[in-house]
Amino acid sequence: MQQGGSNGRVRPSGATGLPVVGGSAVGIVANPMSGRDIRRLVAQASVFPNAEKTNMALRLIAAAGATGVGRVLMSTDGMGVAAGVLRARDKRRPGAARWPELEFVELDAISGTAEDTRVLVRRMVAAGASVIVLLGGDGTVRAAAAASGDAALLPLSTGTNNAFPEMWEATVAGTAAGLVATGRVPLADASYRAKALHVVAGATHELALVDACVSTVTHVGSRALWQPATLRELYCAFAEPHAIGLSSVAGLLHPVSRTAPGGVVVRLAEDSTQTVLAPIAPGVVAPIGVRYAGPLAAGRPHPVELERGTVAVDGEREIEFGPSTPVTVTLAPDGPRVLDVRTVLAAAAQRRLLEPGVLEVT
């Protein structure tokens, strides 16, 4: 029996999902270490449990199955996220909603560092994933960006300060990822190329996707930035007023969108007469002294004024420098490709892509 539809379409009864597209694949990288840094000791940040990362992965897989994705490539770890997905797969009952073929991407050895993310993403891209969903924070996205190539990243926030990942329910995010991975929404129409900050100090070259912050602290130490009085210069690829973290300072003074060509530079000083109250960490709204805030032009190296200190990229101190290693920061439009969930689902609504079994009548 068929039920009539509008605009010359018909819907066969009993349709529950979109047809499977052969060769389509979505990757899921769940960082088991995200959301566990020192800021939980100096702020009121919550700990994001790995059990919830497992639940998010299961919702992503379910949405991929409904949208006709052929395979899901799941990261492995030593802290129970992948094991929870495996248990759920083995407990599935006959007649349950379709799941894609599930493949686990293994590491030769788990290092517990950003290199794990890079290796996993590289292997997923090589295995055919055109969209990779990241469960992590800014650091996870930065690591993935180094290996993602032309695959689209879809970062979901499970870290501490998450300026780059957005807060999407995993089922919604998985639906968008599935529509793009199956080609129902073209990747070129559903993604954008992010900006990146290239930080160079001598032979060291680090990439930041959100911000690079110069501090008077001379040692990397615990890596996380949590002492506002030590901050001197802030460079942002984009700056949103609703963000949390250091980029919120720039966002409240000189907002710049993720797709605008330029960025923001802010000069900071503890004794400045101008201050801005900014949410620099969960539960921490601090007065930040500001000497200057203005545009950061792309394509030109900007020399750091401070002679000695450290540079944090996306909230983690990575570079120690002194007078013999001057630092430059350059904004460029060469970051990773990022999936735009809003654009994907707007296209799905306009083109009625999520109506299983609807066919054109000639």
Side-chain angles (χ1 to χ4, degrees):
M1 178 179 178
Q2 293 181 332
Q3 297 174 339
S6 60
N7 299 323
R9 300 169 186 246
V10 294
R11 178 198 304 276
S13 62
T16 59
L18 301 181
V20 176
V21 175
S24 59
V26 168
I28 301 174
V29 175
N31 181 357
M33 299 302 295
S34 65
R36 294 170 177 270
D37 64 31
I38 192 174
R39 283 164 287 192
R40 275 145 187 79
L41 301 178
V42 298
Q44 284 70 53
S46 60
V47 175
F48 201 99
N50 283 330
E52 177 54 20
K53 294 172 190 173
T54 296
N55 289 334
M56 290 176 69
L58 295 176
R59 299 198 294 273
L60 289 164
I61 293 168
T67 51
V69 173
R71 294 179 299 145
V72 164
L73 310 175
M74 180 72 204
S75 64
T76 52
D77 62 277
M79 300 181 70
V81 179
V85 172
L86 179 61
R87 287 193 298 270
R89 184 197 67 179
D90 292 345
K91 291 179 179 178
R92 285 175 56 78
R93 298 177 180 177
R98 176 191 172 269
W99 262 24
E101 180 183 346
L102 184 60
E103 300 178 12
F104 290 93
V105 179
E106 297 187 7
L107 295 164
D108 297 331
I110 296 176
S111 69
T113 68
E115 182 62 18
D116 291 348
T117 297
R118 286 189 284 269
V119 172
L120 288 165
V121 169
R122 194 174 297 118
R123 291 182 178 178
M124 289 179 182
V125 171
S130 57
V131 179
I132 298 177
V133 185
L134 303 171
L135 308 185
D138 291 335
T140 305
V141 185
R142 184 165 64 90
S148 58
D150 285 330
L153 300 180
L154 175 47
L156 301 184
S157 175
T158 66
T160 307
N161 286 10
N162 298 280
F164 200 95
E166 295 192 80
M167 298 293 291
W168 289 105
E169 206 288 319
T171 314
V172 175
T175 300
L179 289 170
V180 172
T182 57
R184 292 181 167 95
V185 177
L187 178 60
D189 297 342
S191 63
Y192 64 92
R193 183 68 69 175
K195 294 173 282 187
L197 295 162
H198 294 262
V199 184
V200 177
T204 302
H205 182 182
E206 292 285 350
L207 194 72
L209 299 180
V210 181
D211 55 53
C213 189
V214 182
S215 167
T216 58
V217 175
T218 57
H219 300 287
V220 169
S222 65
R223 295 188 180 274
L225 283 176
W226 52 276
Q227 296 174 310
T230 67
L231 310 182
R232 290 296 178 268
E233 300 173 48
L234 176 63
Y235 301 85
C236 297
F238 63 93
E240 297 170 328
H242 55 270
I244 190 164
L246 295 177
S247 70
S248 69
V249 178
L252 291 167
L253 296 170
H254 192 94
V256 172
S257 73
R258 296 176 184 236
T259 56
V264 187
V265 58
V266 182
R267 310 288 182 189
L268 305 167
E270 185 182 14
D271 58 355
S272 175
T273 57
Q274 180 186 4
T275 62
V276 59
L277 286 172
I280 60 171
V284 179
V285 179
I288 306 296
V290 177
R291 289 195 291 119
Y292 168 83
L296 176 68
R300 179 170 65 86
H302 296 262
V304 166
E305 294 180 355
L306 196 66
E307 289 189 353
R308 184 185 304 276
T310 53
V311 182
V313 290
D314 293 337
E316 296 185 349
R317 290 196 297 270
E318 296 284 358
I319 301 173
E320 299 176 3
F321 68 93
S324 63
T325 53
V327 180
T328 61
V329 180
T330 306
L331 179 67
D334 60 356
R337 186 173 293 281
V338 180
L339 195 69
D340 188 330
V341 173
R342 291 179 181 85
T343 297
V344 175
L345 295 178
Q350 182 180 23
R351 296 166 52 191
R352 300 181 64 189
L353 297 178
L354 292 172
E355 299 184 40
V358 173
L359 306 172
E360 293 284 353
V361 177
T362 60

Coordinates of all heavy atoms in Angstrom, one line a residue, residues 12-89:
P12 N 6.3 4.7 0.0 CA 5.9 3.3 0.4 C 5.8 3.2 1.9 O 6.6 3.7 2.6 CB 7.0 2.5 -0.2 CG 7.7 3.4 -1.2 CD 7.5 4.8 -0.7
S13 N 4.8 2.5 2.4 CA 4.6 2.3 3.8 C 5.7 1.4 4.3 O 6.2 0.5 3.6 CB 3.3 1.7 4.1 OG 3.1 0.4 3.5
G14 N 6.1 1.5 5.5 CA 7.1 0.6 6.2 C 8.5 1.1 6.0 O 9.4 0.5 6.5
A15 N 8.8 2.2 5.3 CA 10.1 2.7 5.2 C 10.6 3.3 6.5 O 10.0 4.1 7.1 CB 10.2 3.8 4.1
T16 N 11.8 2.8 6.9 CA 12.3 3.2 8.3 C 13.7 3.9 8.2 O 14.1 4.5 9.2 CB 12.4 2.0 9.2 OG1 13.3 1.1 8.6 CG2 11.1 1.4 9.5
G17 N 14.3 3.9 7.1 CA 15.6 4.5 6.9 C 16.0 4.7 5.5 O 15.3 4.3 4.6
L18 N 17.1 5.5 5.3 CA 17.5 5.8 3.9 C 18.3 4.6 3.3 O 18.9 3.9 4.1 CB 18.3 7.0 3.9 CG 17.7 8.3 4.4 CD1 18.6 9.5 4.3 CD2 16.4 8.6 3.7
P19 N 18.2 4.4 2.0 CA 19.0 3.3 1.4 C 20.5 3.4 1.7 O 21.0 4.5 1.8 CB 18.7 3.5 -0.1 CG 17.4 4.2 -0.2 CD 17.4 5.1 1.0
V20 N 21.1 2.3 1.8 CA 22.5 2.2 2.1 C 23.3 2.6 0.9 O 23.0 2.2 -0.2 CB 23.0 0.8 2.6 CG1 24.5 0.8 2.8 CG2 22.2 0.4 3.9
V21 N 24.3 3.5 1.1 CA 25.2 3.9 0.0 C 26.5 3.1 0.1 O 27.3 3.3 1.1 CB 25.4 5.4 0.0 CG1 26.4 5.8 -1.1 CG2 24.1 6.1 -0.2
G22 N 26.8 2.3 -0.8 CA 28.0 1.5 -0.8 C 29.3 2.4 -0.8 O 29.3 3.4 -1.5
G23 N 30.3 2.0 0.0 CA 31.5 2.7 0.1 C 31.5 3.9 1.1 O 32.5 4.5 1.3
S24 N 30.3 4.3 1.6 CA 30.3 5.4 2.5 C 30.8 5.1 3.9 O 30.5 3.9 4.3 CB 28.8 6.0 2.6 OG 27.9 4.9 3.0
A25 N 31.5 6.0 4.5 CA 32.0 5.7 5.8 C 32.2 6.9 6.7 O 32.5 8.0 6.1 CB 33.4 5.0 5.7
V26 N 31.9 6.8 7.9 CA 32.0 7.9 8.9 C 33.0 7.4 10.0 O 32.9 6.2 10.4 CB 30.7 8.2 9.6 CG1 30.9 9.1 10.8 CG2 29.8 8.9 8.6
G27 N 33.9 8.2 10.4 CA 34.8 7.9 11.5 C 34.4 8.5 12.8 O 33.8 9.6 12.8
I28 N 34.7 7.9 13.9 CA 34.4 8.4 15.2 C 35.7 8.3 16.0 O 36.2 7.2 16.3 CB 33.3 7.7 15.9 CG1 32.0 7.8 15.1 CG2 33.0 8.3 17.3 CD1 30.8 7.0 15.7
V29 N 36.2 9.4 16.5 CA 37.4 9.4 17.4 C 37.0 10.0 18.7 O 36.6 11.2 18.8 CB 38.6 10.3 16.8 CG1 39.7 10.3 17.8 CG2 39.0 9.7 15.5
A30 N 37.0 9.1 19.7 CA 36.6 9.6 21.1 C 37.9 9.7 21.9 O 38.5 8.6 22.2 CB 35.6 8.6 21.7
N31 N 38.2 10.9 22.3 CA 39.4 11.1 23.1 C 39.1 10.8 24.5 O 38.4 11.5 25.2 CB 39.9 12.5 23.0 CG 41.2 12.8 23.7 OD1 41.7 11.9 24.4 ND2 41.7 14.0 23.7
P32 N 39.7 9.7 25.1 CA 39.3 9.3 26.5 C 39.9 10.2 27.5 O 39.5 10.2 28.7 CB 39.9 7.9 26.6 CG 41.0 7.8 25.7 CD 40.6 8.7 24.5
M33 N 40.9 11.1 27.1 CA 41.5 12.0 28.0 C 40.9 13.4 28.0 O 41.3 14.2 28.9 CB 43.0 12.1 27.7 CG 43.8 10.7 27.8 SD 43.6 10.0 29.4 CE 44.5 11.2 30.4
S34 N 40.0 13.7 27.1 CA 39.5 15.0 27.1 C 38.7 15.3 28.3 O 38.0 14.4 28.9 CB 38.6 15.2 25.8 OG 37.5 14.4 25.9
G35 N 38.7 16.6 28.8 CA 38.0 17.0 29.9 C 38.5 16.5 31.3 O 37.8 16.3 32.2
R36 N 39.9 16.4 31.3 CA 40.5 15.9 32.6 C 41.7 16.7 33.0 O 42.6 16.2 33.7 CB 40.9 14.5 32.4 CG 39.7 13.5 32.2 CD 40.1 12.1 31.8 NE 38.9 11.3 31.7 CZ 38.4 10.5 32.7 NH1 39.0 10.6 33.8 NH2 37.4 9.8 32.5
D37 N 41.9 18.0 32.6 CA 43.1 18.7 32.9 C 43.1 19.5 34.2 O 42.1 19.4 34.9 CB 43.5 19.6 31.7 CG 42.5 20.7 31.4 OD1 41.9 21.2 32.4 OD2 42.4 21.1 30.2
I38 N 44.1 20.3 34.4 CA 44.3 21.0 35.7 C 43.2 22.0 36.0 O 43.0 22.3 37.1 CB 45.7 21.7 35.7 CG1 46.0 22.1 37.2 CG2 45.7 22.8 34.7 CD1 47.4 22.7 37.3
R39 N 42.5 22.4 34.9 CA 41.5 23.4 35.2 C 40.3 22.9 36.0 O 39.5 23.6 36.5 CB 41.0 23.9 33.8 CG 41.9 24.9 33.2 CD 41.7 25.1 31.7 NE 42.0 24.0 30.9 CZ 42.1 24.0 29.6 NH1 41.9 25.2 29.0 NH2 42.5 23.0 28.9
R40 N 40.2 21.6 36.2 CA 39.3 21.0 37.2 C 39.7 21.3 38.6 O 38.9 21.1 39.5 CB 39.1 19.5 36.9 CG 38.0 19.4 35.8 CD 38.3 18.2 34.9 NE 37.4 18.2 33.8 CZ 37.5 19.0 32.8 NH1 38.5 19.8 32.7 NH2 36.6 19.1 31.8
L41 N 40.9 21.6 38.8 CA 41.4 21.9 40.2 C 41.3 23.4 40.5 O 41.2 23.8 41.7 CB 42.9 21.5 40.3 CG 43.1 20.0 40.1 CD1 44.6 19.7 40.3 CD2 42.3 19.1 41.0
V42 N 41.4 24.2 39.5 CA 41.4 25.7 39.7 C 40.1 26.4 39.2 O 40.0 27.6 39.4 CB 42.6 26.3 39.0 CG1 43.9 25.8 39.6 CG2 42.6 26.1 37.5
A43 N 39.2 25.6 38.7 CA 37.9 26.2 38.2 C 36.8 25.1 38.6 O 37.1 24.1 39.1 CB 37.9 26.5 36.8
Q44 N 35.6 25.5 38.1 CA 34.5 24.6 38.4 C 34.1 23.8 37.2 O 32.9 23.5 37.0 CB 33.3 25.4 39.0 CG 33.4 25.8 40.4 CD 34.5 26.9 40.6 OE1 34.5 27.9 39.9 NE2 35.4 26.7 41.5
A45 N 35.1 23.4 36.4 CA 34.8 22.6 35.2 C 34.3 21.2 35.6 O 34.8 20.6 36.6 CB 36.0 22.5 34.3
S46 N 33.4 20.6 34.9 CA 32.9 19.3 35.1 C 33.8 18.3 34.5 O 34.5 18.5 33.5 CB 31.5 19.1 34.6 OG 31.5 19.3 33.2
V47 N 33.8 17.1 35.0 CA 34.5 15.9 34.4 C 33.6 15.3 33.4 O 32.5 14.9 33.8 CB 35.0 14.9 35.5 CG1 35.7 13.7 34.8 CG2 36.0 15.6 36.4
F48 N 34.0 15.1 32.2 CA 33.1 14.5 31.2 C 33.4 13.0 31.2 O 34.5 12.5 30.8 CB 33.4 15.1 29.8 CG 32.2 14.9 28.9 CD1 31.3 15.9 28.6 CD2 32.1 13.6 28.2 CE1 30.3 15.7 27.8 CE2 31.0 13.5 27.4 CZ 30.1 14.5 27.1
P49 N 32.5 12.1 31.7 CA 32.8 10.7 31.9 C 32.9 10.0 30.6 O 32.2 10.3 29.6 CB 31.6 10.2 32.7 CG 30.5 11.2 32.4 CD 31.1 12.5 32.2
N50 N 33.8 9.0 30.6 CA 33.9 8.2 29.3 C 32.7 7.4 29.0 O 32.4 7.0 27.9 CB 35.1 7.3 29.5 CG 36.4 8.1 29.2 OD1 36.5 9.1 28.5 ND2 37.5 7.6 29.9
A51 N 31.9 7.1 30.0 CA 30.6 6.4 29.8 C 29.7 7.2 28.9 O 29.0 6.7 28.0 CB 29.9 6.0 31.1
E52 N 29.7 8.5 29.1 CA 28.9 9.4 28.2 C 29.5 9.5 26.8 O 28.7 9.6 25.8 CB 28.7 10.8 28.8 CG 27.9 11.8 28.0 CD 26.5 11.2 27.6 OE1 26.0 10.3 28.2 OE2 26.0 11.8 26.6
K53 N 30.8 9.4 26.7 CA 31.4 9.4 25.4 C 30.9 8.1 24.6 O 30.7 8.1 23.4 CB 32.9 9.4 25.4 CG 33.4 10.8 26.0 CD 34.9 10.8 26.3 CE 35.3 12.0 27.0 NZ 36.7 11.9 27.4
T54 N 30.9 7.0 25.3 CA 30.3 5.8 24.7 C 28.9 6.0 24.3 O 28.5 5.6 23.2 CB 30.4 4.6 25.7 OG1 31.8 4.3 26.0 CG2 29.8 3.4 25.2
N55 N 28.1 6.6 25.1 CA 26.7 6.8 24.8 C 26.6 7.7 23.5 O 25.7 7.5 22.7 CB 25.9 7.4 25.9 CG 25.7 6.4 27.1 OD1 25.7 5.2 26.8 ND2 25.6 6.9 28.3
M56 N 27.4 8.7 23.5 CA 27.4 9.6 22.3 C 27.8 8.8 21.0 O 27.2 9.0 20.0 CB 28.4 10.8 22.5 CG 27.9 11.8 23.6 SD 29.2 13.1 23.9 CE 29.1 14.0 22.3
A57 N 28.8 8.0 21.1 CA 29.2 7.2 20.0 C 28.1 6.3 19.5 O 27.8 6.1 18.3 CB 30.4 6.3 20.3
L58 N 27.3 5.7 20.5 CA 26.2 4.8 20.1 C 25.1 5.6 19.4 O 24.5 5.1 18.4 CB 25.6 4.2 21.4 CG 26.6 3.2 22.1 CD1 25.9 2.7 23.3 CD2 26.9 2.0 21.1
R59 N 24.9 6.9 19.8 CA 23.9 7.7 19.2 C 24.3 8.1 17.8 O 23.5 8.2 16.8 CB 23.5 8.9 20.0 CG 23.0 8.6 21.4 CD 22.3 9.7 22.0 NE 23.1 10.8 22.4 CZ 23.8 11.0 23.5 NH1 23.8 10.0 24.4 NH2 24.5 12.0 23.8
L60 N 25.6 8.4 17.6 CA 26.2 8.7 16.3 C 26.0 7.5 15.4 O 25.7 7.6 14.2 CB 27.7 9.0 16.4 CG 28.0 10.4 17.1 CD1 29.5 10.4 17.5 CD2 27.7 11.5 16.1
I61 N 26.3 6.3 15.9 CA 26.2 5.1 15.0 C 24.8 4.8 14.6 O 24.5 4.5 13.5 CB 26.8 3.9 15.8 CG1 28.3 4.0 16.0 CG2 26.5 2.6 15.1 CD1 28.9 3.1 17.0
A62 N 23.8 5.0 15.5 CA 22.4 4.8 15.2 C 22.0 5.8 14.1 O 21.3 5.4 13.2 CB 21.6 5.0 16.4
A63 N 22.4 7.1 14.2 CA 22.0 8.0 13.2 C 22.7 7.7 11.8 O 22.1 7.9 10.8 CB 22.4 9.4 13.6
A64 N 23.9 7.2 11.9 CA 24.6 6.8 10.6 C 23.9 5.7 10.0 O 23.7 5.6 8.7 CB 26.1 6.4 10.9
G65 N 23.4 4.7 10.8 CA 22.6 3.6 10.2 C 21.3 4.1 9.6 O 20.9 3.6 8.5
A66 N 20.6 5.0 10.2 CA 19.4 5.5 9.7 C 19.6 6.3 8.4 O 18.7 6.3 7.5 CB 18.7 6.4 10.7
T67 N 20.7 6.9 8.2 CA 20.9 7.7 7.0 C 21.7 7.0 5.9 O 22.1 7.5 4.9 CB 21.7 9.0 7.3 OG1 22.9 8.6 8.1 CG2 20.9 10.0 8.2
G68 N 21.8 5.7 6.1 CA 22.3 4.8 5.0 C 23.8 4.7 4.9 O 24.4 4.4 3.8
V69 N 24.6 5.1 5.9 CA 26.0 4.9 5.9 C 26.4 3.5 5.9 O 25.9 2.7 6.7 CB 26.7 5.7 7.1 CG1 28.2 5.4 7.2 CG2 26.4 7.1 7.1
G70 N 27.4 3.1 5.1 CA 27.8 1.7 5.0 C 28.6 1.2 6.1 O 28.4 0.1 6.7
R71 N 29.6 2.0 6.5 CA 30.5 1.6 7.6 C 30.8 2.8 8.6 O 30.8 3.9 8.2 CB 31.9 1.2 7.0 CG 31.9 0.0 6.2 CD 33.3 -0.2 5.6 NE 33.8 0.9 4.8 CZ 35.1 1.3 4.8 NH1 36.0 0.8 5.6 NH2 35.4 2.3 4.0
V72 N 31.0 2.4 9.9 CA 31.5 3.4 10.9 C 32.8 2.8 11.4 O 32.9 1.7 11.7 CB 30.5 3.5 12.0 CG1 31.1 4.2 13.2 CG2 29.3 4.3 11.6
L73 N 33.8 3.7 11.3 CA 35.1 3.4 11.8 C 35.3 4.0 13.2 O 35.2 5.2 13.4 CB 36.2 3.9 10.9 CG 36.0 3.6 9.4 CD1 37.0 4.3 8.5 CD2 36.0 2.1 9.2
M74 N 35.4 3.1 14.2 CA 35.4 3.6 15.6 C 36.9 3.5 16.2 O 37.5 2.5 16.0 CB 34.5 2.7 16.4 CG 34.4 3.0 17.9 SD 33.5 4.6 18.2 CE 34.2 5.1 19.8
S75 N 37.3 4.5 16.9 CA 38.6 4.5 17.5 C 38.6 3.5 18.7 O 37.6 3.2 19.3 CB 39.0 5.9 18.0 OG 38.0 6.3 19.0
T76 N 39.8 3.0 19.0 CA 40.0 2.2 20.2 C 40.8 3.0 21.2 O 41.5 3.9 20.9 CB 40.8 0.9 19.8 OG1 42.0 1.3 19.1 CG2 39.9 0.0 18.9
D77 N 40.7 2.5 22.4 CA 41.3 3.2 23.6 C 41.5 2.2 24.7 O 41.0 1.1 24.7 CB 40.5 4.4 24.0 CG 39.1 4.0 24.5 OD1 38.2 3.8 23.7 OD2 39.0 3.8 25.7
G78 N 42.2 2.7 25.7 CA 42.4 1.8 26.9 C 41.6 2.2 28.1 O 41.9 1.8 29.2
M79 N 40.6 3.0 27.9 CA 39.8 3.5 29.0 C 38.3 3.2 28.9 O 37.5 3.8 29.6 CB 40.0 5.0 29.2 CG 41.5 5.4 29.5 SD 41.8 7.1 29.7 CE 41.1 7.4 31.3
G80 N 37.9 2.3 28.1 CA 36.6 1.8 28.1 C 35.6 2.3 27.1 O 34.4 1.8 27.1
V81 N 35.9 3.4 26.3 CA 35.0 3.9 25.4 C 34.6 2.9 24.3 O 33.4 2.6 24.1 CB 35.5 5.3 24.8 CG1 34.4 5.8 23.9 CG2 35.8 6.3 25.9
A82 N 35.6 2.5 23.6 CA 35.4 1.5 22.5 C 34.8 0.2 23.1 O 34.0 -0.4 22.4 CB 36.7 1.3 21.8
A83 N 35.3 -0.2 24.3 CA 34.7 -1.5 24.8 C 33.2 -1.4 25.1 O 32.5 -2.3 24.9 CB 35.5 -1.8 26.1
G84 N 32.8 -0.2 25.5 CA 31.3 0.0 25.7 C 30.6 -0.1 24.4 O 29.5 -0.7 24.3
V85 N 31.1 0.4 23.3 CA 30.5 0.3 22.0 C 30.5 -1.2 21.6 O 29.4 -1.6 21.0 CB 31.3 1.2 21.0 CG1 30.7 0.9 19.6 CG2 31.1 2.7 21.3
L86 N 31.5 -1.9 21.8 CA 31.6 -3.3 21.4 C 30.5 -4.1 22.2 O 29.8 -4.9 21.6 CB 33.0 -3.9 21.7 CG 33.2 -5.3 21.3 CD1 33.0 -5.6 19.9 CD2 34.6 -5.8 21.8
R87 N 30.4 -3.8 23.4 CA 29.4 -4.6 24.2 C 28.0 -4.3 23.7 O 27.1 -5.2 23.6 CB 29.5 -4.2 25.7 CG 30.7 -4.8 26.4 CD 30.6 -4.6 27.9 NE 30.5 -3.2 28.3 CZ 31.6 -2.5 28.6 NH1 32.8 -3.0 28.5 NH2 31.5 -1.2 29.0
A88 N 27.7 -3.0 23.4 CA 26.4 -2.7 22.9 C 26.1 -3.3 21.5 O 25.0 -3.8 21.3 CB 26.3 -1.1 22.7
R89 N 27.1 -3.4 20.7 CA 27.0 -4.1 19.4 C 26.6 -5.6 19.6 O 25.7 -6.2 19.0 CB 28.2 -4.0 18.6 CG 28.1 -4.6 17.2 CD 29.4 -4.9 16.5 NE 30.1 -6.0 17.2 CZ 31.3 -6.4 16.9 NH1 32.0 -5.9 15.8 NH2 31.9 -7.4 17.5

